PDB file of all heavy atoms in Angstrom:
ATOM      1  N   ILE L  22       8.780  -0.608  -8.964  1.00 52.00           N
ATOM      2  CA  ILE L  22       8.590   0.574  -8.131  1.00 52.00           C
ATOM      3  C   ILE L  22       9.720   1.540  -8.399  1.00 52.00           C
ATOM      4  O   ILE L  22      10.893   1.182  -8.318  1.00 52.00           O
ATOM      5  CB  ILE L  22       8.572   0.192  -6.632  1.00 52.00           C
ATOM      6  CG1 ILE L  22       7.425  -0.779  -6.357  1.00 52.00           C
ATOM      7  CG2 ILE L  22       8.463   1.422  -5.760  1.00 52.00           C
ATOM      8  CD1 ILE L  22       7.431  -1.344  -4.960  1.00 52.00           C
ATOM      9  N   SER L  23       9.357   2.760  -8.752  1.00 54.00           N
ATOM     10  CA  SER L  23      10.376   3.777  -8.964  1.00 54.00           C
ATOM     11  C   SER L  23      10.882   4.248  -7.604  1.00 54.00           C
ATOM     12  O   SER L  23      10.201   4.089  -6.595  1.00 54.00           O
ATOM     13  CB  SER L  23       9.798   4.951  -9.750  1.00 54.00           C
ATOM     14  OG  SER L  23       8.854   5.647  -8.965  1.00 54.00           O
ATOM     15  N   PRO L  24      12.078   4.831  -7.542  1.00 56.00           N
ATOM     16  CA  PRO L  24      12.612   5.293  -6.260  1.00 56.00           C
ATOM     17  C   PRO L  24      11.664   6.247  -5.537  1.00 56.00           C
ATOM     18  O   PRO L  24      11.484   6.154  -4.330  1.00 56.00           O
ATOM     19  CB  PRO L  24      13.922   5.975  -6.637  1.00 56.00           C
ATOM     20  CG  PRO L  24      14.342   5.314  -7.912  1.00 56.00           C
ATOM     21  CD  PRO L  24      13.040   4.999  -8.626  1.00 56.00           C
ATOM     22  N   ALA L  25      11.019   7.152  -6.258  1.00 60.00           N
ATOM     23  CA  ALA L  25      10.101   8.102  -5.623  1.00 60.00           C
ATOM     24  C   ALA L  25       8.894   7.387  -5.041  1.00 60.00           C
ATOM     25  O   ALA L  25       8.465   7.680  -3.925  1.00 60.00           O
ATOM     26  CB  ALA L  25       9.652   9.163  -6.618  1.00 60.00           C
ATOM     27  N   SER L  26       8.330   6.429  -5.783  1.00 70.00           N
ATOM     28  CA  SER L  26       7.165   5.728  -5.258  1.00 70.00           C
ATOM     29  C   SER L  26       7.548   4.788  -4.124  1.00 70.00           C
ATOM     30  O   SER L  26       6.733   4.506  -3.254  1.00 70.00           O
ATOM     31  CB  SER L  26       6.426   4.987  -6.367  1.00 70.00           C
ATOM     32  OG  SER L  26       7.210   3.962  -6.914  1.00 70.00           O
ATOM     33  N   ALA L  27       8.800   4.296  -4.124  1.00 73.00           N
ATOM     34  CA  ALA L  27       9.259   3.455  -3.016  1.00 73.00           C
ATOM     35  C   ALA L  27       9.278   4.265  -1.721  1.00 73.00           C
ATOM     36  O   ALA L  27       8.927   3.759  -0.659  1.00 73.00           O
ATOM     37  CB  ALA L  27      10.637   2.880  -3.311  1.00 73.00           C
ATOM     38  N   ILE L  28       9.668   5.528  -1.816  1.00 75.00           N
ATOM     39  CA  ILE L  28       9.673   6.393  -0.635  1.00 75.00           C
ATOM     40  C   ILE L  28       8.240   6.632  -0.184  1.00 75.00           C
ATOM     41  O   ILE L  28       7.925   6.541   0.999  1.00 75.00           O
ATOM     42  CB  ILE L  28      10.387   7.722  -0.943  1.00 75.00           C
ATOM     43  CG1 ILE L  28      11.877   7.466  -1.171  1.00 75.00           C
ATOM     44  CG2 ILE L  28      10.181   8.725   0.202  1.00 75.00           C
ATOM     45  CD1 ILE L  28      12.630   8.643  -1.756  1.00 75.00           C
ATOM     46  N   ASP L  29       7.350   6.915  -1.136  1.00 91.00           N
ATOM     47  CA  ASP L  29       5.946   7.110  -0.797  1.00 91.00           C
ATOM     48  C   ASP L  29       5.365   5.859  -0.164  1.00 91.00           C
ATOM     49  O   ASP L  29       4.604   5.931   0.790  1.00 91.00           O
ATOM     50  CB  ASP L  29       5.130   7.480  -2.038  1.00 91.00           C
ATOM     51  CG  ASP L  29       5.496   8.848  -2.584  1.00 91.00           C
ATOM     52  OD1 ASP L  29       6.052   9.669  -1.821  1.00 91.00           O
ATOM     53  OD2 ASP L  29       5.235   9.083  -3.766  1.00 91.00           O
ATOM     54  N   GLU L  30       5.715   4.699  -0.703  1.00 92.00           N
ATOM     55  CA  GLU L  30       5.217   3.437  -0.169  1.00 92.00           C
ATOM     56  C   GLU L  30       5.725   3.236   1.260  1.00 92.00           C
ATOM     57  O   GLU L  30       4.965   2.831   2.133  1.00 92.00           O
ATOM     58  CB  GLU L  30       5.647   2.283  -1.059  1.00 92.00           C
ATOM     59  CG  GLU L  30       5.089   0.955  -0.610  1.00 92.00           C
ATOM     60  CD  GLU L  30       5.473  -0.135  -1.567  1.00 92.00           C
ATOM     61  OE1 GLU L  30       6.642  -0.573  -1.506  1.00 92.00           O
ATOM     62  OE2 GLU L  30       4.613  -0.549  -2.369  1.00 92.00           O
ATOM     63  N   THR L  31       6.991   3.516   1.490  1.00 94.00           N
ATOM     64  CA  THR L  31       7.554   3.389   2.840  1.00 94.00           C
ATOM     65  C   THR L  31       6.832   4.320   3.805  1.00 94.00           C
ATOM     66  O   THR L  31       6.497   3.931   4.923  1.00 94.00           O
ATOM     67  CB  THR L  31       9.067   3.699   2.815  1.00 94.00           C
ATOM     68  OG1 THR L  31       9.706   2.767   1.943  1.00 94.00           O
ATOM     69  CG2 THR L  31       9.668   3.596   4.198  1.00 94.00           C
ATOM     70  N   THR L  32       6.567   5.532   3.367  1.00 95.00           N
ATOM     71  CA  THR L  32       5.842   6.493   4.193  1.00 95.00           C
ATOM     72  C   THR L  32       4.443   5.974   4.507  1.00 95.00           C
ATOM     73  O   THR L  32       3.974   6.071   5.649  1.00 95.00           O
ATOM     74  CB  THR L  32       5.761   7.860   3.475  1.00 95.00           C
ATOM     75  OG1 THR L  32       7.095   8.314   3.226  1.00 95.00           O
ATOM     76  CG2 THR L  32       5.019   8.882   4.316  1.00 95.00           C
ATOM     77  N   LEU L  33       3.772   5.435   3.498  1.00 94.00           N
ATOM     78  CA  LEU L  33       2.432   4.883   3.711  1.00 94.00           C
ATOM     79  C   LEU L  33       2.461   3.706   4.684  1.00 94.00           C
ATOM     80  O   LEU L  33       1.595   3.596   5.559  1.00 94.00           O
ATOM     81  CB  LEU L  33       1.826   4.427   2.379  1.00 94.00           C
ATOM     82  CG  LEU L  33       1.315   5.508   1.460  1.00 94.00           C
ATOM     83  CD1 LEU L  33       0.903   4.907   0.112  1.00 94.00           C
ATOM     84  CD2 LEU L  33       0.146   6.253   2.087  1.00 94.00           C
ATOM     85  N   ILE L  34       3.444   2.834   4.534  1.00 93.00           N
ATOM     86  CA  ILE L  34       3.559   1.676   5.428  1.00 93.00           C
ATOM     87  C   ILE L  34       3.752   2.139   6.867  1.00 93.00           C
ATOM     88  O   ILE L  34       3.079   1.648   7.785  1.00 93.00           O
ATOM     89  CB  ILE L  34       4.706   0.746   4.990  1.00 93.00           C
ATOM     90  CG1 ILE L  34       4.339   0.069   3.663  1.00 93.00           C
ATOM     91  CG2 ILE L  34       5.031  -0.285   6.071  1.00 93.00           C
ATOM     92  CD1 ILE L  34       5.488  -0.653   2.992  1.00 93.00           C
ATOM     93  N   ARG L  35       4.647   3.080   7.060  1.00 96.00           N
ATOM     94  CA  ARG L  35       4.886   3.577   8.426  1.00 96.00           C
ATOM     95  C   ARG L  35       3.646   4.237   9.009  1.00 96.00           C
ATOM     96  O   ARG L  35       3.325   4.063  10.182  1.00 96.00           O
ATOM     97  CB  ARG L  35       6.070   4.525   8.427  1.00 96.00           C
ATOM     98  CG  ARG L  35       7.378   3.780   8.211  1.00 96.00           C
ATOM     99  CD  ARG L  35       8.575   4.677   8.341  1.00 96.00           C
ATOM    100  NE  ARG L  35       9.790   3.884   8.155  1.00 96.00           N
ATOM    101  CZ  ARG L  35      10.868   4.317   7.568  1.00 96.00           C
ATOM    102  NH1 ARG L  35      10.922   5.543   7.099  1.00 96.00           N
ATOM    103  NH2 ARG L  35      11.924   3.544   7.447  1.00 96.00           N
ATOM    104  N   ALA L  36       2.936   5.005   8.184  1.00 96.00           N
ATOM    105  CA  ALA L  36       1.708   5.657   8.650  1.00 96.00           C
ATOM    106  C   ALA L  36       0.652   4.610   8.998  1.00 96.00           C
ATOM    107  O   ALA L  36      -0.027   4.721  10.024  1.00 96.00           O
ATOM    108  CB  ALA L  36       1.192   6.616   7.579  1.00 96.00           C
ATOM    109  N   ALA L  37       0.524   3.591   8.165  1.00 94.00           N
ATOM    110  CA  ALA L  37      -0.450   2.527   8.433  1.00 94.00           C
ATOM    111  C   ALA L  37      -0.098   1.792   9.726  1.00 94.00           C
ATOM    112  O   ALA L  37      -0.994   1.450  10.511  1.00 94.00           O
ATOM    113  CB  ALA L  37      -0.500   1.559   7.258  1.00 94.00           C
ATOM    114  N   GLN L  38       1.182   1.571   9.964  1.00 95.00           N
ATOM    115  CA  GLN L  38       1.608   0.913  11.202  1.00 95.00           C
ATOM    116  C   GLN L  38       1.262   1.740  12.429  1.00 95.00           C
ATOM    117  O   GLN L  38       1.055   1.196  13.505  1.00 95.00           O
ATOM    118  CB  GLN L  38       3.117   0.641  11.165  1.00 95.00           C
ATOM    119  CG  GLN L  38       3.493  -0.460  10.209  1.00 95.00           C
ATOM    120  CD  GLN L  38       4.993  -0.603  10.043  1.00 95.00           C
ATOM    121  OE1 GLN L  38       5.745   0.361  10.143  1.00 95.00           O
ATOM    122  NE2 GLN L  38       5.429  -1.816   9.769  1.00 95.00           N
ATOM    123  N   ARG L  39       1.184   3.065  12.241  1.00 97.00           N
ATOM    124  CA  ARG L  39       0.804   3.949  13.349  1.00 97.00           C
ATOM    125  C   ARG L  39      -0.714   4.076  13.488  1.00 97.00           C
ATOM    126  O   ARG L  39      -1.201   4.816  14.327  1.00 97.00           O
ATOM    127  CB  ARG L  39       1.415   5.339  13.149  1.00 97.00           C
ATOM    128  CG  ARG L  39       2.927   5.397  13.332  1.00 97.00           C
ATOM    129  CD  ARG L  39       3.437   6.836  13.360  1.00 97.00           C
ATOM    130  NE  ARG L  39       3.056   7.599  12.177  1.00 97.00           N
ATOM    131  CZ  ARG L  39       3.760   7.677  11.057  1.00 97.00           C
ATOM    132  NH1 ARG L  39       4.891   7.016  10.942  1.00 97.00           N
ATOM    133  NH2 ARG L  39       3.335   8.416  10.041  1.00 97.00           N
ATOM    134  N   GLY L  40      -1.446   3.365  12.633  1.00 96.00           N
ATOM    135  CA  GLY L  40      -2.890   3.373  12.737  1.00 96.00           C
ATOM    136  C   GLY L  40      -3.609   4.292  11.765  1.00 96.00           C
ATOM    137  O   GLY L  40      -4.819   4.487  11.879  1.00 96.00           O
ATOM    138  N   ASP L  41      -2.900   4.836  10.793  1.00 96.00           N
ATOM    139  CA  ASP L  41      -3.510   5.727   9.799  1.00 96.00           C
ATOM    140  C   ASP L  41      -4.334   4.887   8.818  1.00 96.00           C
ATOM    141  O   ASP L  41      -3.788   4.190   7.967  1.00 96.00           O
ATOM    142  CB  ASP L  41      -2.426   6.506   9.066  1.00 96.00           C
ATOM    143  CG  ASP L  41      -2.964   7.523   8.078  1.00 96.00           C
ATOM    144  OD1 ASP L  41      -4.048   7.300   7.506  1.00 96.00           O
ATOM    145  OD2 ASP L  41      -2.277   8.541   7.864  1.00 96.00           O
ATOM    146  N   GLU L  42      -5.651   4.947   8.952  1.00 94.00           N
ATOM    147  CA  GLU L  42      -6.537   4.138   8.125  1.00 94.00           C
ATOM    148  C   GLU L  42      -6.496   4.547   6.652  1.00 94.00           C
ATOM    149  O   GLU L  42      -6.630   3.698   5.767  1.00 94.00           O
ATOM    150  CB  GLU L  42      -7.963   4.192   8.662  1.00 94.00           C
ATOM    151  CG  GLU L  42      -8.094   3.498  10.001  1.00 94.00           C
ATOM    152  CD  GLU L  42      -9.498   3.551  10.559  1.00 94.00           C
ATOM    153  OE1 GLU L  42     -10.456   3.793   9.793  1.00 94.00           O
ATOM    154  OE2 GLU L  42      -9.642   3.336  11.768  1.00 94.00           O
ATOM    155  N   ASP L  43      -6.315   5.818   6.374  1.00 95.00           N
ATOM    156  CA  ASP L  43      -6.222   6.280   4.983  1.00 95.00           C
ATOM    157  C   ASP L  43      -4.979   5.710   4.303  1.00 95.00           C
ATOM    158  O   ASP L  43      -5.030   5.294   3.143  1.00 95.00           O
ATOM    159  CB  ASP L  43      -6.207   7.804   4.905  1.00 95.00           C
ATOM    160  CG  ASP L  43      -7.546   8.420   5.284  1.00 95.00           C
ATOM    161  OD1 ASP L  43      -8.593   7.764   5.073  1.00 95.00           O
ATOM    162  OD2 ASP L  43      -7.545   9.553   5.795  1.00 95.00           O
ATOM    163  N   ALA L  44      -3.877   5.693   5.015  1.00 94.00           N
ATOM    164  CA  ALA L  44      -2.643   5.134   4.459  1.00 94.00           C
ATOM    165  C   ALA L  44      -2.817   3.642   4.185  1.00 94.00           C
ATOM    166  O   ALA L  44      -2.407   3.143   3.134  1.00 94.00           O
ATOM    167  CB  ALA L  44      -1.474   5.370   5.420  1.00 94.00           C
ATOM    168  N   PHE L  45      -3.446   2.943   5.126  1.00 92.00           N
ATOM    169  CA  PHE L  45      -3.690   1.510   4.934  1.00 92.00           C
ATOM    170  C   PHE L  45      -4.576   1.283   3.712  1.00 92.00           C
ATOM    171  O   PHE L  45      -4.310   0.410   2.887  1.00 92.00           O
ATOM    172  CB  PHE L  45      -4.326   0.894   6.178  1.00 92.00           C
ATOM    173  CG  PHE L  45      -4.600  -0.569   6.037  1.00 92.00           C
ATOM    174  CD1 PHE L  45      -3.569  -1.482   6.075  1.00 92.00           C
ATOM    175  CD2 PHE L  45      -5.892  -1.030   5.844  1.00 92.00           C
ATOM    176  CE1 PHE L  45      -3.823  -2.848   5.922  1.00 92.00           C
ATOM    177  CE2 PHE L  45      -6.158  -2.380   5.693  1.00 92.00           C
ATOM    178  CZ  PHE L  45      -5.122  -3.292   5.736  1.00 92.00           C
ATOM    179  N   GLU L  46      -5.609   2.095   3.566  1.00 93.00           N
ATOM    180  CA  GLU L  46      -6.515   1.968   2.425  1.00 93.00           C
ATOM    181  C   GLU L  46      -5.774   2.183   1.109  1.00 93.00           C
ATOM    182  O   GLU L  46      -6.006   1.465   0.132  1.00 93.00           O
ATOM    183  CB  GLU L  46      -7.665   2.964   2.546  1.00 93.00           C
ATOM    184  CG  GLU L  46      -8.717   2.797   1.478  1.00 93.00           C
ATOM    185  CD  GLU L  46      -9.901   3.710   1.679  1.00 93.00           C
ATOM    186  OE1 GLU L  46     -10.191   4.105   2.816  1.00 93.00           O
ATOM    187  OE2 GLU L  46     -10.531   4.038   0.661  1.00 93.00           O
ATOM    188  N   GLN L  47      -4.878   3.147   1.074  1.00 94.00           N
ATOM    189  CA  GLN L  47      -4.091   3.384  -0.143  1.00 94.00           C
ATOM    190  C   GLN L  47      -3.214   2.184  -0.477  1.00 94.00           C
ATOM    191  O   GLN L  47      -3.077   1.809  -1.639  1.00 94.00           O
ATOM    192  CB  GLN L  47      -3.211   4.627   0.019  1.00 94.00           C
ATOM    193  CG  GLN L  47      -3.977   5.917  -0.104  1.00 94.00           C
ATOM    194  CD  GLN L  47      -3.037   7.096  -0.011  1.00 94.00           C
ATOM    195  OE1 GLN L  47      -2.614   7.469   1.085  1.00 94.00           O
ATOM    196  NE2 GLN L  47      -2.713   7.669  -1.148  1.00 94.00           N
ATOM    197  N   LEU L  48      -2.624   1.584   0.542  1.00 92.00           N
ATOM    198  CA  LEU L  48      -1.793   0.397   0.313  1.00 92.00           C
ATOM    199  C   LEU L  48      -2.638  -0.765  -0.206  1.00 92.00           C
ATOM    200  O   LEU L  48      -2.226  -1.468  -1.136  1.00 92.00           O
ATOM    201  CB  LEU L  48      -1.071  -0.006   1.604  1.00 92.00           C
ATOM    202  CG  LEU L  48       0.068   0.910   2.013  1.00 92.00           C
ATOM    203  CD1 LEU L  48       0.487   0.640   3.449  1.00 92.00           C
ATOM    204  CD2 LEU L  48       1.249   0.751   1.063  1.00 92.00           C
ATOM    205  N   VAL L  49      -3.796  -0.970   0.393  1.00 92.00           N
ATOM    206  CA  VAL L  49      -4.676  -2.046  -0.062  1.00 92.00           C
ATOM    207  C   VAL L  49      -5.066  -1.813  -1.520  1.00 92.00           C
ATOM    208  O   VAL L  49      -5.007  -2.733  -2.341  1.00 92.00           O
ATOM    209  CB  VAL L  49      -5.932  -2.160   0.835  1.00 92.00           C
ATOM    210  CG1 VAL L  49      -6.974  -3.081   0.205  1.00 92.00           C
ATOM    211  CG2 VAL L  49      -5.555  -2.651   2.223  1.00 92.00           C
ATOM    212  N   ARG L  50      -5.434  -0.595  -1.855  1.00 93.00           N
ATOM    213  CA  ARG L  50      -5.810  -0.288  -3.241  1.00 93.00           C
ATOM    214  C   ARG L  50      -4.649  -0.525  -4.204  1.00 93.00           C
ATOM    215  O   ARG L  50      -4.859  -0.905  -5.356  1.00 93.00           O
ATOM    216  CB  ARG L  50      -6.287   1.155  -3.363  1.00 93.00           C
ATOM    217  CG  ARG L  50      -7.658   1.359  -2.787  1.00 93.00           C
ATOM    218  CD  ARG L  50      -8.115   2.761  -2.999  1.00 93.00           C
ATOM    219  NE  ARG L  50      -9.432   2.962  -2.404  1.00 93.00           N
ATOM    220  CZ  ARG L  50      -9.988   4.127  -2.255  1.00 93.00           C
ATOM    221  NH1 ARG L  50      -9.370   5.223  -2.657  1.00 93.00           N
ATOM    222  NH2 ARG L  50     -11.179   4.228  -1.711  1.00 93.00           N
ATOM    223  N   SER L  51      -3.429  -0.304  -3.737  1.00 93.00           N
ATOM    224  CA  SER L  51      -2.256  -0.500  -4.595  1.00 93.00           C
ATOM    225  C   SER L  51      -1.998  -1.975  -4.896  1.00 93.00           C
ATOM    226  O   SER L  51      -1.473  -2.311  -5.947  1.00 93.00           O
ATOM    227  CB  SER L  51      -1.006   0.084  -3.936  1.00 93.00           C
ATOM    228  OG  SER L  51      -1.113   1.470  -3.812  1.00 93.00           O
ATOM    229  N   TYR L  52      -2.359  -2.833  -3.954  1.00 92.00           N
ATOM    230  CA  TYR L  52      -1.992  -4.242  -4.074  1.00 92.00           C
ATOM    231  C   TYR L  52      -3.160  -5.197  -4.225  1.00 92.00           C
ATOM    232  O   TYR L  52      -2.950  -6.384  -4.474  1.00 92.00           O
ATOM    233  CB  TYR L  52      -1.156  -4.669  -2.857  1.00 92.00           C
ATOM    234  CG  TYR L  52       0.212  -4.069  -2.886  1.00 92.00           C
ATOM    235  CD1 TYR L  52       0.507  -2.928  -2.157  1.00 92.00           C
ATOM    236  CD2 TYR L  52       1.204  -4.623  -3.679  1.00 92.00           C
ATOM    237  CE1 TYR L  52       1.772  -2.349  -2.212  1.00 92.00           C
ATOM    238  CE2 TYR L  52       2.468  -4.064  -3.732  1.00 92.00           C
ATOM    239  CZ  TYR L  52       2.742  -2.930  -2.995  1.00 92.00           C
ATOM    240  OH  TYR L  52       3.984  -2.368  -3.054  1.00 92.00           O
ATOM    241  N   ASP L  53      -4.399  -4.730  -4.076  1.00 92.00           N
ATOM    242  CA  ASP L  53      -5.512  -5.665  -4.022  1.00 92.00           C
ATOM    243  C   ASP L  53      -5.652  -6.523  -5.275  1.00 92.00           C
ATOM    244  O   ASP L  53      -5.827  -7.735  -5.176  1.00 92.00           O
ATOM    245  CB  ASP L  53      -6.825  -4.963  -3.673  1.00 92.00           C
ATOM    246  CG  ASP L  53      -7.330  -4.007  -4.741  1.00 92.00           C
ATOM    247  OD1 ASP L  53      -6.551  -3.606  -5.627  1.00 92.00           O
ATOM    248  OD2 ASP L  53      -8.512  -3.669  -4.671  1.00 92.00           O
ATOM    249  N   ARG L  54      -5.531  -5.958  -6.448  1.00 94.00           N
ATOM    250  CA  ARG L  54      -5.682  -6.748  -7.678  1.00 94.00           C
ATOM    251  C   ARG L  54      -4.554  -7.758  -7.846  1.00 94.00           C
ATOM    252  O   ARG L  54      -4.786  -8.887  -8.270  1.00 94.00           O
ATOM    253  CB  ARG L  54      -5.760  -5.834  -8.887  1.00 94.00           C
ATOM    254  CG  ARG L  54      -7.061  -5.084  -8.932  1.00 94.00           C
ATOM    255  CD  ARG L  54      -7.198  -4.276 -10.186  1.00 94.00           C
ATOM    256  NE  ARG L  54      -8.472  -3.578 -10.162  1.00 94.00           N
ATOM    257  CZ  ARG L  54      -8.722  -2.490 -10.832  1.00 94.00           C
ATOM    258  NH1 ARG L  54      -7.790  -1.958 -11.587  1.00 94.00           N
ATOM    259  NH2 ARG L  54      -9.895  -1.924 -10.754  1.00 94.00           N
ATOM    260  N   ALA L  55      -3.337  -7.352  -7.504  1.00 95.00           N
ATOM    261  CA  ALA L  55      -2.199  -8.266  -7.640  1.00 95.00           C
ATOM    262  C   ALA L  55      -2.340  -9.438  -6.672  1.00 95.00           C
ATOM    263  O   ALA L  55      -2.035 -10.583  -7.033  1.00 95.00           O
ATOM    264  CB  ALA L  55      -0.892  -7.528  -7.390  1.00 95.00           C
ATOM    265  N   VAL L  56      -2.813  -9.173  -5.463  1.00 94.00           N
ATOM    266  CA  VAL L  56      -2.988 -10.242  -4.472  1.00 94.00           C
ATOM    267  C   VAL L  56      -4.075 -11.210  -4.942  1.00 94.00           C
ATOM    268  O   VAL L  56      -3.903 -12.432  -4.878  1.00 94.00           O
ATOM    269  CB  VAL L  56      -3.315  -9.659  -3.078  1.00 94.00           C
ATOM    270  CG1 VAL L  56      -3.728 -10.754  -2.104  1.00 94.00           C
ATOM    271  CG2 VAL L  56      -2.117  -8.889  -2.534  1.00 94.00           C
ATOM    272  N   LEU L  57      -5.193 -10.669  -5.419  1.00 95.00           N
ATOM    273  CA  LEU L  57      -6.273 -11.530  -5.891  1.00 95.00           C
ATOM    274  C   LEU L  57      -5.816 -12.345  -7.108  1.00 95.00           C
ATOM    275  O   LEU L  57      -6.095 -13.542  -7.206  1.00 95.00           O
ATOM    276  CB  LEU L  57      -7.515 -10.709  -6.235  1.00 95.00           C
ATOM    277  CG  LEU L  57      -8.746 -11.504  -6.651  1.00 95.00           C
ATOM    278  CD1 LEU L  57      -9.144 -12.525  -5.589  1.00 95.00           C
ATOM    279  CD2 LEU L  57      -9.903 -10.565  -6.943  1.00 95.00           C
ATOM    280  N   ARG L  58      -5.103 -11.715  -8.026  1.00 96.00           N
ATOM    281  CA  ARG L  58      -4.610 -12.423  -9.209  1.00 96.00           C
ATOM    282  C   ARG L  58      -3.658 -13.563  -8.806  1.00 96.00           C
ATOM    283  O   ARG L  58      -3.744 -14.674  -9.329  1.00 96.00           O
ATOM    284  CB  ARG L  58      -3.905 -11.441 -10.147  1.00 96.00           C
ATOM    285  CG  ARG L  58      -3.524 -12.020 -11.468  1.00 96.00           C
ATOM    286  CD  ARG L  58      -3.025 -11.000 -12.501  1.00 96.00           C
ATOM    287  NE  ARG L  58      -2.234  -9.903 -11.964  1.00 96.00           N
ATOM    288  CZ  ARG L  58      -2.687  -8.641 -11.836  1.00 96.00           C
ATOM    289  NH1 ARG L  58      -3.914  -8.333 -12.186  1.00 96.00           N
ATOM    290  NH2 ARG L  58      -1.901  -7.704 -11.354  1.00 96.00           N
ATOM    291  N   LEU L  59      -2.777 -13.304  -7.869  1.00 96.00           N
ATOM    292  CA  LEU L  59      -1.860 -14.335  -7.393  1.00 96.00           C
ATOM    293  C   LEU L  59      -2.629 -15.493  -6.761  1.00 96.00           C
ATOM    294  O   LEU L  59      -2.349 -16.664  -7.033  1.00 96.00           O
ATOM    295  CB  LEU L  59      -0.870 -13.742  -6.383  1.00 96.00           C
ATOM    296  CG  LEU L  59       0.088 -14.724  -5.726  1.00 96.00           C
ATOM    297  CD1 LEU L  59       0.998 -15.378  -6.763  1.00 96.00           C
ATOM    298  CD2 LEU L  59       0.904 -14.014  -4.665  1.00 96.00           C
ATOM    299  N   ALA L  60      -3.612 -15.163  -5.929  1.00 96.00           N
ATOM    300  CA  ALA L  60      -4.423 -16.208  -5.290  1.00 96.00           C
ATOM    301  C   ALA L  60      -5.150 -17.043  -6.342  1.00 96.00           C
ATOM    302  O   ALA L  60      -5.216 -18.277  -6.236  1.00 96.00           O
ATOM    303  CB  ALA L  60      -5.405 -15.586  -4.306  1.00 96.00           C
ATOM    304  N   MET L  61      -5.697 -16.386  -7.367  1.00 97.00           N
ATOM    305  CA  MET L  61      -6.388 -17.117  -8.438  1.00 97.00           C
ATOM    306  C   MET L  61      -5.428 -18.048  -9.178  1.00 97.00           C
ATOM    307  O   MET L  61      -5.767 -19.193  -9.470  1.00 97.00           O
ATOM    308  CB  MET L  61      -7.013 -16.138  -9.435  1.00 97.00           C
ATOM    309  CG  MET L  61      -8.274 -15.489  -8.947  1.00 97.00           C
ATOM    310  SD  MET L  61      -9.654 -16.642  -8.825  1.00 97.00           S
ATOM    311  CE  MET L  61      -9.862 -17.096 -10.532  1.00 97.00           C
TER     312      MET L  61
END
């Protein structure tokens, strides 16, 4: 994660914690393949 994307990620996490469904969806899209690959 580059420093700029880390800030964006932190912003998305905070927004998702406040109930922002779009922010949560962006986070899921960012990690869904990695999570599935790890589980496999």
